[in-house]
């Protein structure tokens, strides 16, 4: 029996694996690893598949220097659109369009370190309208928001907050210098105190080590997060990471599988970078992942909802809200 099979039995018994075991698991046979991860997924989550879409509700001119992002004012590409908050009618129209396609979660995403109180109020108006008119679950990704602002957002009808850790605490300073890892964690804790669930994960391919990836997911686990976005760097020309190598499909499979072992009852959500994968994430969904962001990403093309719905059905999943 290989290590993946041994650790699978430990996880299925309800016992957590350690960092050391996760590191050993990372180098195990990939077929054994992904098969075991899918068995864990089925045991803890059944055949539920949580699909969501995002809207770039405020674009460009971001003050932060995240080295992977084309919206940063430090190296923004000329072909990236710049605009302020979309109106509530624009957001409602987009939310309704996604709802009609079968999407159950819709996330309002804005560029910038944080929104002003006035912008928070505008977003709240949009959330209320969307919830009233089409009932789709609303998530938000609004930067470094405080607890008071989160309470307004929850009262307006949002159910979840997205705030990626991006990588490990040790590696984060090499990715961004204009805010800290602790700022991220403080935001996540504020959202939870306000009664909101949290979606938090990271980006693979920033130059981090396997240990950085494992440290990040253990931090996510310690924060009690049950929706974990797994992004793969899409190197964008003009950003500091433009020459980084694209993560291979097998490396993506390994990430999804190991993350499943670490947080067995989470929605492991393939997100940015899935569009450049040869199989669009299909093998990851057969090896532990059970959620996705569909449609276009913020500044890059994604996969259509229609195509994703077809794949989800072919793989035997059922689209539904999953909260862990």
């Amino acid at each position: 029996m290989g290590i993946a099979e041994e650790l699978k039995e430990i996880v299925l018994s309800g016992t957590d694996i350690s960092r050391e075991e996760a590191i050993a698991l990372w180098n195990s046979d990939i077929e054994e690893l992904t098969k075991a991860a899918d068995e864990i997924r089925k045991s803890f989550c059944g055949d539920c598949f949580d699909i969501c879409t995002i809207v770039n509700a405020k674009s460009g001119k971001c003050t932060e220097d995240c080295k992977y992002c084309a919206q940063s004012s430090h190296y923004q590409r000329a072909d990236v659109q710049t605009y302020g908050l979309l109106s509530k009618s624009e957001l409602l129209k987009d939310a309704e369009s996604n709802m009609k396609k079968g999407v159950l979660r819709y996330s309002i995403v804005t560029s910038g370190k944080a929104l002003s109180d006035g912008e928070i109020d505008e977003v709240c108006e949009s959330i209320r309208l969307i919830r009233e008119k089409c009932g789709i679950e609303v998530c938000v990704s609004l930067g470094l928001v405080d607890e008071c602002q989160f309470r307004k957002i929850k009262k307006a009808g949002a159910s979840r907050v997205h705030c990626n850790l991006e990588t490990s605490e040790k590696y984060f300073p090499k990715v961004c210098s204009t805010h800290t890892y602790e700022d991220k964690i403080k935001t996540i804790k504020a959202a939870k105190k306000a009664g909101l669930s949290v979606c938090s994960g990271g980006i693979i391919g920033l130059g981090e080590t396997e240990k950085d990836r494992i440290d990040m997911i253990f931090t996510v686990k310690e924060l009690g997060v049950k929706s974990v976005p797994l992004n793969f760097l899409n190197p964008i020309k003009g950003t500091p990471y433009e020459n980084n190598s694209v993560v291979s499909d097998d490396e993506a499979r390994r990430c999804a599988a190991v993350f499943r072992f670490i947080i067995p009852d989470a929605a492991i959500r393939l997100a940015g970078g899935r569009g450049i994968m040869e199989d669009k994430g299909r093998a990851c969904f057969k090896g532990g992942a059970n959620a996705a962001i569909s449609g276009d990403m913020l500044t890059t093309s994604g996969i259509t909802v229609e195509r994703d719905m077809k794949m989800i059905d072919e793989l035997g999943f059922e689209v539904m809200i999953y909260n862990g």
Side-chain angles (χ1 to χ4, degrees), residues 3-34:
I3 188 169
E5 277 295 307
E6 291 178 12
L7 293 179
K8 180 193 75 175
E9 295 304 321
I10 289 174
V11 172
L12 291 178
S13 74
T15 301
D16 293 339
I17 66 170
S18 67
R19 277 179 168 81
E20 292 72 24
E21 287 170 327
I23 291 169
L25 187 65
W26 198 280
N27 298 308
S28 64
D29 177 79
I30 192 167
E31 301 304 332
E32 180 186 343
L33 171 64
T34 53

Side-chain angles (χ1 to χ4, degrees), residues 78-121:
D79 60 348
V80 172
Q81 287 185 295
T82 298
Y83 52 82
L85 272 175
L86 296 180
S87 69
K88 58 185 180 183
S89 61
E90 289 173 306
L91 291 172
L92 174 62
K93 181 179 179 181
D94 192 54
E96 287 178 328
S97 174
N98 282 279
M99 181 266 294
K100 289 173 182 175
K101 294 173 185 175
V103 175
L104 303 180
R105 293 188 193 273
Y106 179 74
S107 184
I108 298 171
V109 184
T110 58
S111 67
K113 186 172 186 176
L115 296 185
S116 67
D117 285 337
E119 288 174 319
I120 291 288
D121 290 341

